[in-house]
Amino acid sequence: MNSAWLTCIVSRGGVVGGKRCIHRSTSLNFAAPVGQELTGFDFLKSNKEKPVVALQREEYPEWVDTLAQPLKTLAELKKMEFEDATDRERMRYLVLGRRKLIKDNNLEGK
């Protein structure tokens, strides 16, 4: 297959292969032929004259594959031992915990 796999989770309203992303957390895989111009990614002033095009899958760095991996939920993070969690997972636990507390407090106030 002569196409690059792209994950459309980069930004709201981004367009990949003529398909628009609906939401930031949407994780949809689209096949874009190598060399196809990708619209919505040319936001830097210095790159206005040079279009952004799809590359071969091997040309992307390895960390690009981690973008499509789902993040752990609050329930999954609560089950983990504190020592086993990475710094990023600990921070996500705090953020999700605060968000849940705020939502619970807002429900009580109504």
Side-chain angles (χ1 to χ4, degrees), residues 37-101:
E37 186 173 337
L38 306 175
T39 58
F41 293 99
D42 55 349
F43 55 87
L44 298 176
K45 289 182 181 181
S46 61
N47 283 348
K48 290 295 181 187
E49 65 279 348
K50 182 180 172 187
V52 178
V53 296
L55 304 173
Q56 289 284 345
R57 186 71 205 118
E58 299 81 31
E59 295 181 51
Y60 289 102
E62 290 182 21
W63 62 265
V64 172
D65 293 333
T66 64
L67 294 175
Q69 294 174 353
L71 298 173
K72 293 187 179 181
T73 63
L74 181 59
E76 292 171 334
L77 293 170
K78 281 182 179 180
K79 293 177 186 176
M80 292 179 68
E81 292 292 327
F82 183 78
E83 296 80 20
D84 296 337
T86 64
D87 289 339
R88 180 166 277 182
E89 290 170 337
R90 291 175 187 166
M91 181 60 76
R92 181 163 171 76
Y93 174 77
L94 293 174
V95 169
L96 293 177
R98 285 188 207 118
R99 187 179 298 160
K100 183 179 180 334
L101 180 65

Side-chain angles (χ1 to χ4, degrees), residues 20-36:
R20 179 173 289 281
C21 277
I22 298 168
H23 189 270
R24 179 174 50 108
S25 64
T26 303
S27 179
L28 303 172
N29 291 327
F30 299 117
V34 175
Q36 178 179 350

